[in-house]
Amino acid sequence: MDNAVAAKTRTATNHRTAAKSGAATKTRTAAASGTALLAGQEPTAGQDPPAGHSTTAEMAAHLSALLFDDSHHHSTHPNSHNTTHNSPSTCTRDGSSGDDSSSNGNSHGSDNGGSSSGSGDSSSGRGDGGDGGGHAHALWRQLVSRKEFTYTPGLDHTQRTAQSYQRLRLVNDLVDATALARDPARLAALHEWIGFADGGLCTLASIHYNLFLGSLIDHDNPDHPRDLTDYTTLRRTGTFLCTELDHGNDAAALETTAHHNPATGGFTLHTPTPGAAKFMPNTSTTGGPKTGLVAARLITHNQDHGVFLFLTPLSDENGLLPGITVTPLPPSNGPTIDHSLTTFHHVPLPREALLEADHGRLNPDGTLTTNLGNPRKRFLTSINRVTTGKLCMSAGCLGMARAALAIAVQYAHTRHTSGPRPGQRIPLAHHHTHHSRLLDKIATAYALTFLHRTTLTQYLNHTHENRTQTERHIAITKAFITWQARDITTESRERCGAQGLFPHNGIADLTHNIEGGITAEGDNLVIWTKAAAEMILHHTPQPTHPHPHHTNPHPTNTDPHHDTNPHPHTNPDTDPNPDTDPNPDTDLNNLTFLRNLLTHTENLWHQRARTALRHGPTHNPLARWNHTAPAALNMITAHAQRTTADAFLHTLHHTTHQPTKTLLTHLCHLYLLNQITPHTGDLLAHNHLTPHHIHTLPTTTHHTHTTLAPHMQTLTHAFNHPTNTNPQP
């Protein structure tokens, strides 16, 4: 009989002890892409991870520390202009700052079980201060481990939506809501853990804490501060009404109006056409009274000043307020929330409803004072919270991808099937055709996690001068992570077979929820197209990194405190991958060489895009762009692959625990091999690869799979996925 075990994962019970007893490795990801990757010897792949130095639990704890120690997220840049977002306090309600270690720059997280594995087992249900890094992940993991997050079968759409609102209150009980809204790092950490537990909650939290509460905070007037108590206590849930039925990615052209009344100083909010109905926001009465931030055109003295945000009560304990119509939309395949169409019929608003800042302040006579003459720039400033939203959507989808892998890998080791001998039963994981696909996705998940950490750090440390570049990088990161996360969850679900189709196993809905992230905060293709257009003109060719001298290409010292670098055995009589390049600087096991191949690819497509733009049709901007777009999007893809590789290599370089470093080296090697494979034709044609490389690429990849296969569970145990979110029925 098949041992048909439902797809669920177990975290190692001794992760916490191992993390406390061992010196958990820490990393500091680069604050910007393109930093020097490696110094000294170049790590190369091929040597088996040393045995006997670390238990599986210890290895998982060290890996977990690398994945979830976000102490480096706090801004330290002396010229940072992002003061609103750099709140140094943790977001717990007990009043403790929790950042005693950040002031002296010490690494921390080992006492938290690799950031998330230790205190995640606490039963208190309340944050306790903790450090300024891994504590955030531990707090949210602890939350989703509670019984209230156990999957509840048999709920209809309305009941599941109501459940998500109830869980939002559990989140709010743990935090200082204002501090959370000010802290992108902890907001992102929240999304990483609640995304796989409840996609609807992930959406609600992003809207309430980031788009709604965050926008109110960013537009606060110190001389006349708003009372936010109703929203921080969730007496009223906040929502965000921007896009309209006829205006999605062209939201700057939306039609809803807010006419200024000179006599009262207030405004009249109105939906002038059916196409101006606000599309998708969660505005029903489910979840209790709500208030929205409505994007509308500010009209004074018949002059259109562009789009601003207006604080608008939508409902109270008795239902919708006068002049407001909410029409529920059909249930979607994405996160389960109360998506609706919302219209306004001459709704009066007080003067203080307008959210003002330096980009626009309304004078008593109805004139506008602004530091931005461009209405589009004023609109983008008003909705600037979508930038943090991109980081949150990336984080939520990233958490879903890791959860899917944790479930699929556990299933691969517990589901048995017929072996090659009569009567033999073997785990699915023993088949190369099964584990190689999962290993490819595990390598990608690690790489994406390190990319997200790097991107978040860059955002926290950005300055006024590099803000545009930073926001472009965030947009590229969001699209790359969410697209890759969808691929990961699709593959993981398929590897679970029929068991993966049942929602109670925690994997069936993840791909649908990620689809929501792909569209939210800017459709991926649209934001990549915008980034590509900017990079053609403002992006410079990227340099390749020099190949460090290999002083000891075949190290035998496996002391975990000895900073040697793994390198393949090259004895043709014993090595399963003997076809190595005699030149170590161009060997397919050389990580810098592989990284540089991605750089060559990025530069090649950048040059092609610029050439296409120059030679495109004249006097027809759309035709000219259409001529350029294919090369431009290939450039963005290569750029995302290269920056992700840089983040992985930077983490690898700062990993000091040698067994962990060896294992990560193989994982980084696999990621790089997979990324260059689609580009081998171009690389060969431009003499960056030789026929020898093409011939040996499949065997090199196969050898890396074989090396990593025994460590697949260790790699996913480090994700610390809670077991209660996908229980048996």
Side-chain angles (χ1 to χ4, degrees), residues 212-377:
F212 178 81
L213 192 56
S215 295
L216 286 175
I217 292 170
D218 292 350
H219 290 81
D220 193 30
N221 183 347
D223 297 329
H224 303 284
R226 295 180 188 271
D227 183 2
L228 303 179
T229 305
D230 279 351
Y231 317 123
T232 59
T233 60
L234 279 182
R235 287 199 293 265
R236 304 186 68 84
T237 303
T239 185
F240 197 80
L241 295 80
C242 184
T243 57
E244 297 173 350
L245 195 58
D246 283 355
H247 302 286
N249 291 306
D250 64 335
L254 56 80
E255 302 175 54
T256 303
T257 58
H259 283 267
H260 178 243
N261 186 334
T264 65
F267 308 92
T268 300
L269 186 67
H270 185 62
T271 303
T273 68
K278 294 298 180 181
F279 178 66
M280 291 287 283
N282 54 312
T283 52
S284 79
T285 56
T286 302
K290 292 178 184 172
T291 297
L293 286 179
V294 181
R297 313 195 76 81
L298 172 61
I299 311 294
T300 66
H301 303 302
N302 294 321
Q303 181 179 357
D304 184 344
H305 296 287
V307 178
F308 287 81
L309 296 178
F310 293 83
L311 185 65
T312 306
L314 302 173
S315 56
D316 59 19
E317 293 78 3
N318 299 314
L320 295 174
L321 296 176
I324 296 171
T325 301
V326 172
T327 305
L329 289 169
S332 69
N333 287 330
T336 306
I337 67 169
D338 49 326
H339 292 302
S340 306
L341 279 177
T342 309
T343 58
F344 306 94
H345 185 71
H346 301 293
V347 175
L349 297 176
R351 170 66 182 81
E352 58 270 19
L354 174 64
L355 268 61
E356 300 174 279
D358 290 344
H359 69 284
R361 299 187 188 278
L362 192 63
N363 300 315
D365 62 358
T367 60
L368 188 73
T369 300
T370 177
N371 62 356
L372 296 173
N374 187 320
R376 177 175 175 78
K377 290 183 178 179

Side-chain angles (χ1 to χ4, degrees), residues 613 616-628:
L613 186 65
T618 58
H619 310 298
N620 189 334
L622 178 59
R624 191 178 188 190
W625 172 247
N626 285 339
H627 182 71
T628 307

